[in-house]
């Protein structure tokens, strides 16, 4: 960190310049993450990877085709009941879909997404966790 003189209304003050300024400007430049957009993208990716149409999924989920389309495009905020119904129609656990959304939000925020369970988390909750479950083929490895 380096101190640099800054003149404001004729008064000279010393300002820290360096990494702090870079991180502040990076934070300002980051785009706001809209959760409904990320949820819609994940649902669309899963549906398309399965080679299914909006009509097929909307019929299985008992949701109107137009509403499902709006959810996928991030124009509508889906309720938890609706998301559960769509995930059931796609044969994907809601928790796996939300995990994918969480990973995408973390990437958008510039947060490192660990590929393992953090040590302090596993020490605290390890006995209660079932870490042997597999994600559906291609669920988390799709293009971002």
């Amino acid at each position: 960190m380096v101190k640099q003189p800054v003149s404001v209304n004729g008064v000279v003050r010393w300002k820290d310049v360096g990494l702090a300024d870079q991180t502040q400007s990076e934070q300002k430049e980051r785009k706001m993450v809209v959760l409904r957009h990320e949820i819609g993208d994940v649902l669309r990716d899963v549906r398309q990877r399965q080679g299914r149409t909006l009509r097929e999924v909307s019929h299985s989920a008992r949701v109107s085709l137009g509403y499902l389309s709006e959810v996928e495009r991030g124009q509508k905020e889906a309720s938890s009941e609706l998301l559960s119904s769509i995930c059931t129609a796609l044969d994907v656990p809601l928790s796996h879909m939300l995990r994918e959304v969480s990973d995408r939000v973390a990437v958008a925020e510039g947060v490192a997404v660990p590929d393992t369970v953090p040590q302090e988390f596993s020490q605290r909750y390890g006995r209660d966790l079932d870490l042997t479950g597999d994600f559906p083929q291609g669920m988390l490895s799709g293009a971002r």
Side-chain angles (χ1 to χ4, degrees):
M1 193 72 55
V2 178
K3 297 231 180 226
Q4 183 178 31
V6 177
S7 177
V8 178
N9 294 333
V11 177
V12 177
R13 303 204 185 260
W14 291 91
K15 180 180 177 186
D16 290 330
V17 178
L19 296 176
D21 287 343
Q22 290 174 346
T23 56
Q24 285 177 356
S25 65
E26 287 173 7
Q27 287 175 350
K28 289 178 185 176
E29 292 175 12
R30 271 191 217 146
K31 191 175 179 182
M32 181 176 66
V33 178
V34 180
L35 194 56
R36 70 176 181 268
H37 292 169
E38 298 301 328
I39 290 171
D41 288 345
V42 170
L43 291 173
R44 183 184 314 105
D45 288 349
V46 171
R47 179 182 58 78
Q48 289 177 342
R49 274 188 242 132
Q50 293 177 358
R52 297 177 66 190
T53 65
L54 273 170
R55 187 173 307 282
E56 292 169 344
V57 175
S58 68
H59 179 72
S60 296
R62 298 180 183 212
V63 175
S64 76
L65 181 115
Y67 195 81
L68 179 58
S69 175
E70 288 179 317
V71 168
E72 282 192 0
R73 288 181 284 140
Q75 294 178 338
K76 292 287 182 183
E77 242 3 288
S79 68
S80 57
E81 292 88 357
L82 180 66
L83 288 175
S84 179
S85 179
I86 295 168
C87 287
T88 299
L90 291 168
D91 196 31
V92 173
L94 178 63
S95 60
H96 291 189
M97 186 276 297
L98 291 174
R99 175 62 188 256
E100 175 71 8
V101 169
S102 175
D103 289 348
R104 290 180 183 211
V105 169
V107 168
E109 291 176 335
V111 176
V113 179
D115 59 353
T116 60
V117 177
Q119 184 177 5
E120 58 274 2
F121 188 81
S122 63
Q123 286 174 347
R124 184 169 182 184
Y125 301 106
R127 285 177 255 125
D128 301 328
L129 292 177
D130 175 19
L131 300 175
T132 59
D134 292 329
F135 290 104
Q137 184 68 23
M139 174 66 184
L140 298 179
S141 61
R144 294 185 188 255

